[in-house]
Amino acid sequence: VRSETSKYEILFLDCSDEVLLKRYKETRRSHPLAVKGERIIMGIKRERELLRDIKTRADFIINTSNMLTRELRVQLSSIFLDDDRFESLMITVLSFGFKYGIPRDSDIVQDVRFLPNPYYDLELREKTGNDKEIQDYVMNCKEGPEYLEKFIDLITFLIPNYIKEGKNQLVISIGCTGGKHRSVTIANAVYARLQKSKYTVRIVHRDILKDSIVKKL
């Protein structure tokens, strides 16, 4: 029950079971709520049960599953130091290659294989969407800039509605064939636009080096 005399806010740091297990294994620690010899996941489940009521009363919820320390620091600053309205949403813009599979944690999946493919230009094949030559190649067509504007409009509409629903983590996956050229170019462009928003945004290029690795093998 909240005190009527003392004002306070509750910050709840959440994380997926998979990442929590990984963190415990990396530090070689057992969960304090797990019985001796019991699996760590059992302690995690008991902890979730004990904290369920606190989570429902929390003023702020941050999911740290895919968050770097500096990204957590930025979100904490936006809550307690800055005078901005905090939105509990972590956005990940992720590029990938369809031939390596669609990311399982995707909330939004975009297929940009309709855009011009630099792979067929031998001088550009080994470059990536992080290189200006590839970015110019992909975006130097009517469809590239037009698609980007339409997709940004869609995301801008969806984000407030996702927050309203209670979502605190959004993964936007953008794919091409190998995840090296077109998807990286578009993901970078989307990331640059979203960086100007009030949300915490990160970018991941999952498959950008895989083609090169496969060829070397």
Side-chain angles (χ1 to χ4, degrees):
V1 180
R2 287 186 182 271
S3 169
E4 295 182 359
T5 56
S6 301
K7 291 185 178 180
Y8 65 90
E9 294 176 314
I10 299 175
L11 168 67
F12 189 93
L13 298 182
D14 203 356
C15 186
S16 69
D17 288 350
E18 292 78 12
V19 174
L20 282 174
L21 282 170
K22 181 181 177 183
R23 290 174 181 174
Y24 271 105
K25 288 180 179 179
E26 287 177 345
T27 57
R28 298 183 179 181
R29 294 180 179 179
S30 59
H31 195 286
L33 295 180
V35 179
K36 187 175 181 180
E38 195 174 43
R39 293 166 57 214
I40 294 173
I41 190 64
M42 300 307 296
I44 293 174
K45 288 182 178 179
R46 292 192 185 97
E47 182 181 13
R48 289 198 184 282
E49 284 296 320
L50 289 173
L51 296 177
R52 180 183 295 177
D53 182 57
I54 294 178
K55 184 177 180 180
T56 59
R57 294 189 288 116
D59 299 283
F60 310 103
I61 299 176
I62 299 179
N63 191 308
T64 66
S65 299
N66 298 307
M67 192 176 290
L68 300 176
T69 303
R70 58 181 172 80
E71 293 170 338
L72 176 59
R73 185 163 57 247
V74 169
Q75 288 222 4
L76 291 176
S77 295
S78 70
I79 298 173
F80 298 111
L81 299 181
D82 301 337
D83 195 25
D84 297 331
R85 182 172 179 268
F86 174 75
E87 299 289 6
S88 180
L89 184 69
M90 174 71 179
I91 302 175
T92 300
V93 182
L94 188 154
S95 70
F96 73 96
F98 275 97
K99 69 179 182 180
Y100 298 113
I102 298 174
R104 295 178 61 184
D105 57 346
S106 302
D107 296 295
I108 299 173
V109 177
Q110 289 291 298
D111 183 350
V112 297
R113 288 177 290 185
F114 66 91
L115 294 172
N117 192 354
Y119 177 86
Y120 297 107
D121 186 324
L122 295 180
E123 293 184 0
L124 298 177
R125 181 173 294 182
E126 294 307 313
K127 295 182 181 296
T128 75
N130 287 331
D131 296 311
K132 188 176 186 303
E133 297 92 328
I134 299 298
Q135 295 168 3
D136 291 342
Y137 185 97
V138 173
M139 299 301 287
N140 191 25
C141 68
K142 176 178 179 293
E143 293 79 10
E146 185 176 344
Y147 162 77
L148 179 62
E149 293 304 323
K150 290 181 182 295
F151 186 47
I152 291 296
D153 283 345
L154 175 62
I155 297 172
T156 302
F157 167 77
L158 288 174
I159 288 176
N161 288 285
Y162 279 135
I163 293 174
K164 191 185 301 182
E165 180 199 4
K167 198 170 189 60
N168 52 40
Q169 189 167 206
L170 180 66
V171 179
I172 302 172
S173 298
I174 301 170
C176 62
T177 304
K180 181 178 180 179
H181 298 121
R182 295 167 289 180
S183 62
V184 174
T185 296
I186 297 299
N188 283 337
V190 171
Y191 172 70
R193 292 289 193 90
L194 291 179
Q195 270 193 310
K196 299 175 183 178
S197 68
K198 57 189 173 184
Y199 310 106
T200 301
V201 189
R202 66 194 294 262
I203 188 159
V204 177
H205 297 306
R206 192 192 70 176
D207 302 326
I208 192 170
L209 298 177
K210 285 186 178 177
D211 273 351
S212 299
I213 294 172
V214 170
K215 288 177 183 177
K216 288 180 182 179
L217 293 176

